[in-house]
Amino acid sequence: QSPPLTFVACLMLAVLVPSVAGIFLDPRSITGAPAWLKPSKFAISTAIYAFSIAWLFRYLTLWPRFNRAAGWTIAIVFLLEVGIIDAQAARGATSHFNVATPLDAALFTVMGVAIGVLWLVSAAIAVELFRQRFEDSAWGWALRTGMLISVLGSSIGGLMVAPTKAQREARAAGHAVTLSGAHTVGAPDGGPGLPVVGWSTRHGDLRISHFLGLHALQAIPLLAWLVRRRRRREALVLAGAAAYVLLMLVLLWQALDGRPLWTAHHASAPAKAGVAA
């Protein structure tokens, strides 16, 4: 239902191929991970999100002009984001939180503004979903709550861009600061992490709840489809959405408390500092 979003989704799948190849062919690492791992992850996630929003538009009829504009806006934002991430990877530099040079800071600022625009457009889509009437009430609530939780989950990214305590202290002391913000709570980014996703196994990591929230757009409609033949389907969808939000908030609290996703194998508790909301 959105040619620009469909194009961007297909383009991201095409971009994924050289990005994955780069993981094996480029020996460089950035913050402890292969230089092209992050571009690969963002190519996949962008393709999924673009396809999901394009699919979602088939159910939206209230604001056709807005939907067309939203499709183009989201597509442009995705091209900017992934383009900057790939360009920085090619330079051997981080894309997020990087303020080491005026160029790095400018690119990070562009990314921040673009994500802000994406959040506003996504919030407007959620509003349209709540105004839209659905013949299948349970399905309507699955789409509404999925999009709403996705918007809330994306807001967690705002916690990552706030300077950490160490960064604020360094800046106050007059030291040069090359990073502003982090996704790890209690330590610098780049420590031991889970395979592929890189979520910290020693400290809190805001990406976990952020990831879970973003993918509610796929998870809640999937739940509605799985229970399509059950009685009280609408109640099941709403209960599932509520449980999903609760899990997202618990994971957020855990990260802000400086705790990794799993703590059973760690003898000592991680330090509680780092990202300030």
Side-chain angles (χ1 to χ4, degrees):
Q1 297 294 316
S2 176
L5 282 176
T6 303
F7 168 77
V8 167
C10 293
L11 178 63
M12 291 302 107
L13 293 178
V15 167
L16 176 63
V17 175
S19 296
V20 171
I23 295 174
F24 300 98
L25 299 177
D26 190 338
R28 296 175 302 165
S29 64
I30 301 174
T31 62
W36 291 97
L37 179 59
K38 185 172 184 177
S40 299
K41 292 190 293 184
F42 269 80
I44 295 172
S45 62
T46 298
I48 293 172
Y49 196 86
F51 273 132
S52 298
I53 296 296
W55 165 79
L56 191 62
F57 280 153
R58 67 186 296 184
Y59 298 100
L60 294 173
T61 59
L62 287 180
W63 304 335
R65 291 184 179 179
F66 165 77
N67 293 341
R68 287 193 294 272
W72 278 103
T73 301
I74 295 172
I76 292 170
V77 166
F78 283 158
L79 289 174
L80 273 175
E81 289 289 307
V82 176
I84 291 174
I85 289 169
D86 286 5
Q88 290 291 74
R91 296 178 61 224
T94 58
S95 49
H96 289 76
F97 320 125
N98 189 352
V99 293
T101 68
L103 174 60
D104 293 323
L107 291 174
F108 182 44
T109 299
V110 170
M111 294 176 70
V113 172
I115 289 299
V117 171
L118 174 62
W119 188 90
L120 291 173
V121 173
S122 299
I125 293 173
V127 171
E128 185 180 5
L129 279 166
F130 274 89
R131 293 175 62 91
Q132 182 79 42
R133 301 185 68 175
F134 293 87
E135 291 184 7
D136 184 342
S137 179
W139 185 245
W141 280 110
L143 298 181
R144 293 179 187 120
T145 56
M147 189 68 203
L148 178 60
I149 298 170
S150 179
V151 170
L152 294 175
S154 67
S155 301
I156 296 173
L159 299 176
M160 302 182 196
V161 300
T164 67
K165 180 181 178 182
Q167 291 165 358
R168 293 196 305 270
E169 290 176 347
R171 185 170 295 169
H175 301 305
V177 176
T178 60
L179 297 172
S180 182
H183 49 70
T184 305
V185 180
D189 290 343
L194 293 174
V196 183
V197 291
W199 299 337
S200 178
T201 55
R202 296 292 185 271
H203 304 276
D205 199 315
L206 293 166
R207 292 175 296 181
I208 303 172
S209 56
H210 181 60
F211 173 88
L212 186 73
L214 286 176
H215 289 288
L217 183 56
Q218 295 84 38
I220 307 302
L222 176 60
L223 170 64
W225 180 79
L226 291 174
V227 301
R228 64 192 181 281
R229 296 178 181 175
R230 299 288 185 90
R231 295 180 180 180
R232 304 187 66 184
R233 181 164 164 252
E234 183 176 328
L236 289 173
V237 168
L238 291 174
Y244 200 96
V245 171
L246 180 60
L247 177 59
M248 181 181 72
L249 293 177
V250 168
L251 291 173
L252 175 60
W253 167 80
Q254 185 180 39
L256 291 172
D257 198 45
R259 300 176 181 274
L261 187 59
W262 289 287
T263 59
H265 301 294
H266 305 298
S268 60
K272 299 180 182 179
V275 175

